[in-house]
Each structure stands twice: as C-alpha cells, then as structure tokens.
C-alpha cells in the first residue's frame, strides 16, 4: 500500500480536478442506478394498468425519466472520464519532472551504475503504466466499487432472499481476483524490468550503429535485441492469457447467477414476494453488478502493473547520493585558485577499495598541473574530486582554504570548469552548444571563446555559421571539432580553475598545438589541471603528478622527475620522447 499511497499523493496535488471527477462519478453512478428501477416500475405499471387511451400518463413519465437518467449518466460519465484523464496527465507530468530533477541531482556514482535505456524506460513506460492506473483504476475503480455496493443494497431492498442467491457467486470471484493479483504483480514487475533491458539494448545499438556496421555485427545486434524483445513478449503474453482466462471465468459465473435469479425469482413471484418488474430490474442490476466484478480483473491488472512501475520509479526518486549539499553551505566567491589536497582517499559506492589513496599536494593560483599515469591509475577520479562529482572518503579538498563540501554546489561548479574526456555535444546549433550553461552569453563572447578554442575558422566556413545544426551527439562534427566546441563551452563560463580531462585526445598534433598555444592566454591567471599525453604540456607544467594504482608515486617539474629516473622517466622514454620536438615547424 505504501507504493499506491505515494502514487495517489501525486494525483491529490490536483485537488479541484479530483473533487470534480468524484462528484461526476457519484452523479453518473446515481443516474445509472436509477435506470433499472425505472424500467422495473414501467413493467409493473404496464402489467397493472389496462392499456387504454388516456391511461398512459404514468408510462410516458417513466419512459421520459429513463431517457433523462440515460442522458445524465452519459453527461456525468463524460465529465468523469475527462477529469480522470486530466488528473492522470498532470500526475505523469509531475512524476517525470521529479525523475528528471532527481537524475540531475544524483552524483556520478549513481549514474556509473545505471543503464541509460533502463532509466529512459522508467521515465516513459513505467510512468505510462502509472498514468493508466490514475485514469482507469483510481477514479473508475472507485466508481466500480460504489456501483457494486449500491446495487447490492438495492437488490436486498427488493428481495433479500434473491439478493443472497446473487451474493453466493461473489466470493469465488473475489478469491480469483486477489489470487491473480499476487501472480500478476510479479509478472508485471518482470515485464517492466525486461522492458528496461530491451530499451537499453535498443539505445546502445542506435547510438553505436556505426560500430555495428563497421564490424559487420548486424546479426549479433539483432539476436541480442530479439532475446530481450522475446522475453518482454512472452511475459506480456502470459499476463494477458491469465487476464483473458479471468474474464472468461467471470462471464461464466455471472451467466450462472442470471440463471439462478430467473429460477428463484420465478418462485418468489409465485409466492407474491416479488413483482415481475422487480425481477426484470433485478436482472438489469445483475448486469450492472457484472460490470464492476468483471472489471475487477482489469483493475487487478492495472494495480499490479502500477505497483511494479511505481516501485521502479521510486527506486530513482528515493535514490540517495553521496554528494549532498550541506545545510550551512556557503557560496564560493572571489576564488583566486589555490587548491589543496589534504590526505585524500576516495572509494566508489559499490566497493571499499580506494581508487585514490592518501593524496596530498598544493597548487598555487595560476599554476599548471600535469597528471600522468597508466589507465586506471585514478587520474580522472582525482580531478573529479575538485568540483565534487564524487566526494572524498577521507581527507579534504580545499579551494582557497575552504573545504569544497562547505560550498554550495552551484557556486563550486561555476568556479571549476572542466572539459570531459568523453565529449558530449547536444543536438542543437553550434551557438547553443557553446552557450550551454551560460544562456545569457552575448554573440561576441561566444565568438571569443570559439576563437580561443580554434573553432571559429571552421564555423565561419559553414553555410549557417554559429546557427549550424550539429546533429544528434554532434554527429556532423569531427572528433577534433567536438573537442574544440567543448573547450569553448567551458571557457565561456570563465572559471578561475580549469580541468582538461584528456581534452585533446581526439585531435591531431597540429590541432592540439594550435589549441595549446591559444590556451596560453586562458591558462594565464588560472589554476589548470591537465591529464596530459603530450610532451609540450608536461614541459610547461609547474607541477607534474605521476599516479600509479591511485597513489602519487612521483611529483615535481619535468627536469626534477627526469633526474629521479623512476616512473616518469619510463613514461617519458616510452610515450613522450617519441613525440619529439613539438614546435610548429616539426608539426607542419
């Protein structure tokens, strides 16, 4: 019930619509209940009166009343359905908004463990399941329950003996409904999980379609998707079969109930305890009762699916993040760029093994720090601790003497610019991509940032200039152009601390040299961390950190590290020295 109460809480945010829907539902039920009673009264009136001219007034009034009740039922049923759909749409909007907002606030640690396709499934297919529950089950379900109870009461008022005959058929129906509910809850939970996995495979194969084609893996991709698709189909088919069997069983039970009512009702008429009109009304009321009981299987199906979907949705909404802004956090203003790592260690949420261990160093404002190490040595994790993409497990990272955990996240990330190793470009124009995060930036500022990143000349050659559409994930740009766009985007926010996380890995040496020359103007006066792969960067660095298995094994300038003759010298001989002289003449 906890899941359902939370889902209902979303619907109750629209109190006026809920009240309107339930009032319309009550009036619709009342109008519907009046029709069999009026029909039964008309039959008795016709049988008790001689059909003579001038003696049909009562019948005309009853017939008119039946038409009026039918019209009112149609009107209020329309209002009920309209308002129920409005509630469901607003509920879906609120849940999607909460999911999206939560995903924005969760740390890198959460997203490292998630599949994009599964998250998309939760925000779409699962929300749609809840939406159907709100419109069909929450409002219409109560209508069905109210109809059942009032019909039972009216039947008892007509003839309690005959009402008992009908009620004898209800317990097996309820038992079947609740037993099927338990079964379907698990089935629909599995359907939602498999749908998420299928969406993840679909998303990965669409995003990586070029890789699929390059390696001729079409058949493998199709088999991988078919496996997940078959699982969804089989589980859904099984759930639908169970529901269909339930519907057939309900039809049989109420057909038997109608036969029993005709049999016993005839005896009640003979005993003068029931009129023919009341028996006719009784049979009509059985039809009305059959609808909510038959719908009970549908409602059970909706409730089961909504429960499974709600559980997956709240797994996201309730997810905890290790990076939480403290209640007394203060804005980080007037940053000069002094950064200190004080005995820092950090472990990912799913493991206790430190990724970086006992790291200590200090960087003065405006210094350039180069970070080297083998893949998996903790380079990216180290720089991601500065803007609190992850939180330290032990120790502290300080900016101008202030622990980054004491700063508001917005002010911290406004002062720390980062160009990721995995560049992401949005499906928008070049202008919008550069101005992302600085939407109020002027055209002149955007152009200046593009010039520094060596992107402006390329943009000027495109037909639409800065309004050129780059395609999904920047598919119309080369790897180097995407890198330069990301650099321009970061420079536009003018951060006092700059992190280049392997940011020139996708450009050739000539383009990188041009970028590095242009960045000299930007780096001046900024504290800059560079995960370095070029000799030119290491030679210019004020401090070079060499990492191995999450620890700083060597630190110093290029000359100092060469004199030590350890890890750095090995990296130099194997990776850096073969690059040779990276002067403009050498590159050209």
């Amino acid at each position: 019930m906890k899941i359902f109460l939370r889902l209902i809480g979303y619907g109750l945010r629209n109190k006026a619509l809920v009240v309107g829907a339930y009032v319309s539902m009550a009036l619709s039920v009342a109008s519907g209940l009046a029709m069999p009673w009026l029909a039964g009264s008309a039959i008795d009136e016709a049988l008790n009166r001689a059909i003579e001219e001038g003696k049909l007034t009562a019948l005309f009034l009853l017939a008119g009343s039946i038409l009026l009740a039918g019209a009112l039922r149609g009107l209020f049923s329309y209002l009920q359905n309209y308002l129920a759909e409005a509630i469901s749409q607003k509920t879906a909007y609120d849940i999607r908004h909460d999911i999206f907002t939560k995903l924005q606030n969760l740390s890198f640690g959460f997203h490292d463990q998630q599949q994009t396709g599964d998250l998309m499934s939760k925000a779409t297919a699962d929300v749609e399941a809840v939406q159907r529950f709100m419109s069909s089950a929450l409002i219409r379900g109560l209508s069905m329950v109210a109809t059942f109870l009032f019909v039972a009461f009216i039947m008892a008022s007509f003839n309690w003996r005959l009402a008992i005959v009908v009620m004898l058929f209800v317990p097996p129906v309820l038992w079947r409904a609740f037993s099927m509910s338990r079964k379907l809850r698990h089935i629909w939970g599995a359907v939602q999980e498999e749908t998420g996995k299928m969406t993840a495979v679909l998303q990965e194969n669409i995003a990586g379609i070029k890789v699929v084609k390059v390696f001729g893996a079409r058949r493998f991709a199709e088999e991988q998707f078919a496996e997940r698709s078959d699982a969804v189909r089989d589980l859904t088919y099984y759930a639908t079969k169970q529901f269909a069997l339930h519907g057939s069983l309900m039809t049989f039970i109420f057909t038997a109930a109608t036969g029993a009512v005709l049999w016993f009702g005839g005896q009640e008429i003979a005993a003068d305890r029931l009129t023919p009109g009341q028996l006719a009304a009784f049979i009509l009321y059985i039809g009305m009762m059959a609808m909510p009981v038959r719908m009970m299987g549908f409602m059970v199906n909706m409730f089961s699916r909504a429960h499974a979907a709600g559980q997956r949705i709240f797994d996201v909404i309730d997810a905890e993040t290790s990076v939480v802004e403290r209640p007394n956090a203060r804005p980080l203003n007037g940053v000069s760029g002094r950064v200190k790592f004080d005995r820092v260690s950090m472990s990912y949420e799913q493991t206790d093994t430190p990724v970086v261990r006992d790291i200590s160093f200090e960087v003065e404002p405006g210094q350039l720090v180069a970070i080297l190490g083998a893949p998996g040595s903790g380079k990216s994790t180290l720089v991601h601790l500065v803007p609190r993409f992850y939180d330290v497990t032990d120790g502290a990272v300080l900016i101008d003497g202030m622990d980054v955990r004491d700063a508001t996240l917005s002010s911290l990330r406004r002062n720390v610019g980062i160009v990721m190793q995995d560049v992401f470009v949005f499906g928008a124009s070049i202008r919008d991509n550069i101005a992302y995060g600085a939407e109020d930036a002027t055209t002149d500022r955007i152009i200046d940032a593009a010039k520094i990143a060596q992107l402006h000349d390329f943009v000027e050659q495109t037909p639409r200039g800065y309004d050129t559409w780059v395609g999904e994930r920047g598919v119309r740009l080369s790897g180097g152009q995407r890198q330069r766009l990301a650099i321009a985007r970061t420079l536009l926010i003018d951060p006092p601390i700059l992190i280049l996380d392997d940011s020139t890995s996708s450009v050739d040496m000539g383009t990188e040299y041009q970028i590095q020359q242009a960045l000299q103007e930007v780096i001046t006066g900024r504290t800059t961390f560079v995960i370095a792969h070029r000799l030119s960067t290491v030679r210019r660095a004020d401090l070079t950190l060499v990492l191995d298995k999450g620890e700083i094994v060597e630190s110093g300038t290029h000359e100092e590290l060469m004199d030590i003759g350890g890890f750095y010298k090995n990296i130099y001989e194997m990776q850096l020295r073969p690059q040779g002289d990276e002067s403009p003449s050498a590159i050209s």
Side-chain angles (χ1 to χ4, degrees):
M1 289 303 298
K2 184 178 179 181
I3 298 292
F4 290 122
L5 290 175
R6 291 186 67 180
L7 293 176
I8 291 170
Y10 275 95
L12 293 178
R13 293 181 182 181
N14 308 284
K15 294 182 177 60
L17 293 177
V18 172
V19 171
Y22 281 126
V23 169
S24 300
M25 178 269 294
L27 294 174
S28 175
V29 170
S31 303
L33 291 172
M35 294 174 65
W37 181 82
L38 291 170
S41 298
I43 291 173
D44 285 338
E45 184 70 21
L47 292 175
N48 292 335
R49 288 178 176 272
I51 308 301
E52 300 175 3
E53 186 177 353
K55 302 258 180 146
L56 300 178
T57 304
L59 282 176
F60 282 132
L61 288 175
L62 288 170
S65 299
I66 293 173
L67 291 175
L68 178 61
L72 290 174
R73 184 184 185 187
L75 172 63
F76 292 125
S77 179
Y78 165 78
L79 290 175
Q80 171 194 322
N81 291 332
Y82 175 83
L83 294 173
E85 186 61 26
I87 293 169
S88 71
Q89 291 292 342
K90 289 181 177 293
T91 298
Y93 172 85
D94 289 340
I95 293 177
R96 286 195 187 100
H97 181 271
D98 286 354
I99 291 175
F100 186 82
T101 301
K102 185 68 176 188
L103 290 174
Q104 298 300 308
N105 292 327
L106 288 168
S107 69
F108 277 27
F110 172 84
H111 291 284
D112 289 342
Q113 302 175 54
Q114 300 297 316
Q115 287 185 305
T116 302
D118 190 45
L119 291 176
M120 291 171 60
S121 177
K122 290 176 180 179
T124 53
D126 290 338
V127 173
E128 287 173 8
V130 171
Q131 180 181 331
R132 288 193 294 270
F133 161 75
M134 297 299 295
S135 63
S136 299
L138 187 60
I139 305 298
R140 194 177 300 171
L142 185 58
S143 172
M144 296 294 101
V145 172
T147 299
F148 178 86
L149 294 177
F150 280 112
V151 165
F153 174 78
I154 293 172
M155 282 181 171
S157 67
F158 279 177
N159 187 288
W160 63 269
R161 296 177 179 84
L162 205 54
I164 290 176
V165 172
V166 174
M167 290 301 131
L168 289 176
F169 290 88
V170 173
V173 172
L174 294 177
W175 174 83
R176 170 65 182 173
F178 286 113
S179 63
M180 190 176 71
S181 172
R182 289 194 297 270
K183 182 183 295 185
L184 286 178
R185 185 168 64 248
H186 298 296
I187 295 173
W188 284 121
V191 168
Q192 300 302 106
E193 290 290 339
E194 290 298 331
T195 301
K197 294 176 182 178
M198 180 186 69
T199 307
V201 172
L202 178 62
Q203 185 267 337
E204 286 179 350
N205 277 276
I206 291 176
I209 189 65
K210 293 182 179 179
V211 177
V212 174
K213 290 183 175 296
V214 166
F215 287 92
R218 179 179 64 84
R219 185 176 298 278
F220 171 76
E222 290 175 352
E223 291 174 353
Q224 189 182 33
F225 180 76
E227 181 182 354
R228 294 303 182 189
S229 182
D230 289 349
V232 174
R233 179 201 60 195
D234 294 342
L235 286 167
T236 305
Y237 171 75
Y238 181 71
T240 304
K241 183 174 70 174
Q242 294 298 316
F243 177 64
L245 289 173
H246 178 78
S248 300
L249 180 61
M250 296 305 101
T251 300
F252 171 76
I253 289 175
F254 277 96
T255 300
T258 302
V261 165
L262 286 172
W263 173 264
F264 288 103
Q267 298 182 40
E268 292 298 297
I269 292 174
D272 203 25
R273 290 192 290 266
L274 192 71
T275 68
Q278 288 176 329
L279 178 60
F282 229 99
I283 294 173
L284 291 175
Y285 278 125
I286 289 177
M288 289 190 68
M289 180 178 282
M291 178 59 68
V293 176
R294 283 180 179 178
M295 287 292 291
M296 190 173 295
F298 175 75
M299 294 301 167
V300 166
N301 193 30
M302 297 291 291
F303 270 77
S304 299
R305 193 159 194 173
H307 182 277
Q311 181 65 63
R312 283 166 48 82
I313 288 170
F314 292 128
D315 283 345
V316 175
I317 294 177
D318 295 340
E320 296 183 357
T321 177
S322 58
V323 178
V324 179
E325 189 172 284
R326 291 177 175 175
N328 58 345
R330 309 187 308 275
L332 190 62
N333 297 320
V335 174
S336 67
R338 180 176 288 103
V339 178
K340 181 179 180 181
F341 276 64
D342 185 13
R343 304 186 66 84
V344 167
S345 296
M346 182 268 171
S347 303
Y348 289 124
E349 295 176 11
Q350 66 271 26
T351 177
D352 294 329
T353 304
V355 182
V356 293
R357 179 185 301 109
D358 197 26
I359 299 290
S360 295
F361 65 90
E362 187 166 356
V363 184
E364 294 300 320
Q367 286 190 328
L368 172 62
V369 180
I371 304 173
L372 287 82
S377 59
K379 303 185 298 298
S380 294
T381 301
L382 181 68
V383 294
H384 287 171
L385 295 175
V386 179
R388 283 192 75 193
F389 293 150
Y390 302 98
D391 257 346
V392 300
T393 307
D394 293 301
V397 178
L398 300 97
I399 295 179
D400 290 354
M402 182 180 184
D403 192 324
V404 294
R405 291 169 293 186
D406 292 328
T408 60
L409 288 172
S410 59
S411 67
L412 173 64
R413 291 170 185 173
R414 190 169 57 248
N415 284 282
V416 182
I418 182 168
V419 180
M420 296 286 191
Q421 178 181 9
D422 182 16
V423 174
F424 187 90
V425 178
F426 294 92
S429 67
I430 294 175
R431 180 193 308 275
D432 291 339
N433 268 285
I434 295 176
Y436 190 82
E439 290 80 3
D440 58 346
T442 63
T443 300
D444 289 341
R445 288 183 58 203
I446 292 172
I447 292 175
D448 288 342
K451 287 180 177 178
I452 294 171
Q454 298 294 308
L455 185 68
H456 179 70
D457 290 344
F458 158 74
V459 177
E460 287 293 287
Q461 296 172 7
T462 60
R464 300 189 61 189
Y466 283 88
D467 292 323
T468 299
W469 191 263
V470 301
E472 186 179 6
R473 296 180 65 90
V475 69
R476 296 183 180 180
L477 303 178
S478 68
Q481 289 161 354
R482 288 196 294 269
Q483 289 280 5
R484 282 177 278 174
L485 189 151
I487 292 171
R489 181 165 58 198
T490 301
L491 296 179
L492 191 62
I493 64 174
D494 194 25
I497 300 173
L498 184 63
I499 297 173
L500 304 178
D501 185 358
D502 203 10
S503 58
T504 55
S505 60
S506 297
V507 301
D508 56 71
M509 292 179 62
T511 302
E512 185 192 9
Y513 175 78
Q514 293 174 347
I515 293 174
Q516 295 290 1
Q517 292 298 309
L519 283 175
Q520 286 304 303
E521 179 184 345
V522 181
I523 290 174
T524 301
R526 301 177 195 269
T527 302
T528 307
F529 294 85
V530 180
I531 295 180
H533 294 277
R534 300 297 194 198
L535 179 58
S536 58
T537 302
V538 180
R539 281 177 172 171
R540 291 199 316 272
D542 299 291
L543 174 66
T544 297
L545 304 176
V546 182
L547 270 63
D548 183 55
K549 298 178 181 178
E551 295 181 316
I552 296 178
V553 292
E554 292 176 1
S555 64
T557 64
H558 168 70
E559 291 76 13
E560 292 170 347
L561 294 175
M562 287 297 292
D563 291 339
I564 294 174
F567 281 86
Y568 177 80
K569 189 170 184 179
N570 289 335
I571 294 174
Y572 174 81
E573 295 293 342
M574 296 178 63
Q575 299 179 26
L576 302 180
R577 186 175 183 178
Q579 296 171 15
D581 181 12
E582 296 186 4
S583 64
S585 59
I587 293 172
S588 62

